[in-house]
Amino acid sequence: SNTGATGNKTSQLSVPMMVARNGYQYMCKLINNDGSILYTDVVTLYLRPTVTKQPEDLTVAAGQTAQFKVTADGVVSYQWQYARPGSNTWSSTSAASNKTDTLSVTVKSTNSGYRYRCKLVGTDGTVVFTDPATMTVE
């Protein structure tokens, strides 16, 4: 189909990116002076992960369930990670919800100061990490 996007009859097409257009394919039809028609290669529009809401710091009591949530567009996979207090080494969590947008963790008193972040992979393979959120156990 012909696109109605800005520049659709010029050498440069501008397409506003939105989730609904993820995976759309585009090519250009070129007409030479002699009337012959050529087509460019097909290009695919991919949405990179865009975080719209970062996980938030939590203060919880031991024995409760803490939930860290990320809201993002253009994500094909999630992987929650944690770092112990004073460490910059990140490890994947083993929680059952570690590959979803919401991580649920049963809180132990030894979890105070743990930081949690989510590794997001986009439809184009781009990797983005959320800001870390800190758990404080009271």
Side-chain angles (χ1 to χ4, degrees):
S1 295
N2 291 332
T3 180
T6 302
N8 68 334
K9 295 186 186 283
T10 69
S11 63
Q12 184 174 345
L13 179 68
S14 296
V15 180
M17 190 59 206
M18 59 182 65
V19 174
R21 288 195 179 116
N22 187 51
Y24 273 33
Q25 295 183 320
Y26 296 87
M27 69 178 171
C28 186
K29 177 181 176 181
L30 306 169
I31 302 173
N32 290 322
N33 290 337
D34 65 3
S36 61
I37 297 173
L38 300 168
Y39 291 92
T40 64
D41 291 337
V42 174
V43 294
T44 305
L45 185 65
Y46 291 110
L47 180 66
R48 291 185 173 187
T50 304
V51 177
T52 56
K53 188 168 187 326
Q54 297 281 349
E56 297 179 0
D57 294 345
L58 295 175
T59 300
V60 291
Q64 289 185 329
T65 299
Q67 288 192 324
F68 294 97
K69 180 168 179 56
V70 59
T71 305
D73 294 324
V75 178
V76 293
S77 71
Y78 300 86
Q79 176 60 65
W80 285 92
Q81 301 176 330
Y82 70 92
R84 290 184 168 88
S87 172
N88 284 322
T89 301
W90 292 90
S91 302
S92 295
T93 68
S94 59
S97 58
N98 70 344
K99 294 187 184 291
T100 69
D101 64 349
T102 304
L103 175 68
S104 296
V105 179
T106 302
V107 180
K108 299 175 187 169
S109 59
T110 56
N111 292 134
S112 196
Y114 272 49
R115 292 173 295 141
Y116 294 86
R117 71 178 185 184
C118 193
K119 174 184 174 183
L120 309 170
V121 179
T123 58
D124 68 346
T126 301
V127 174
V128 172
F129 292 94
T130 64
D131 295 340
T134 302
M135 179 190 300
T136 302
V137 181
E138 51 183 13

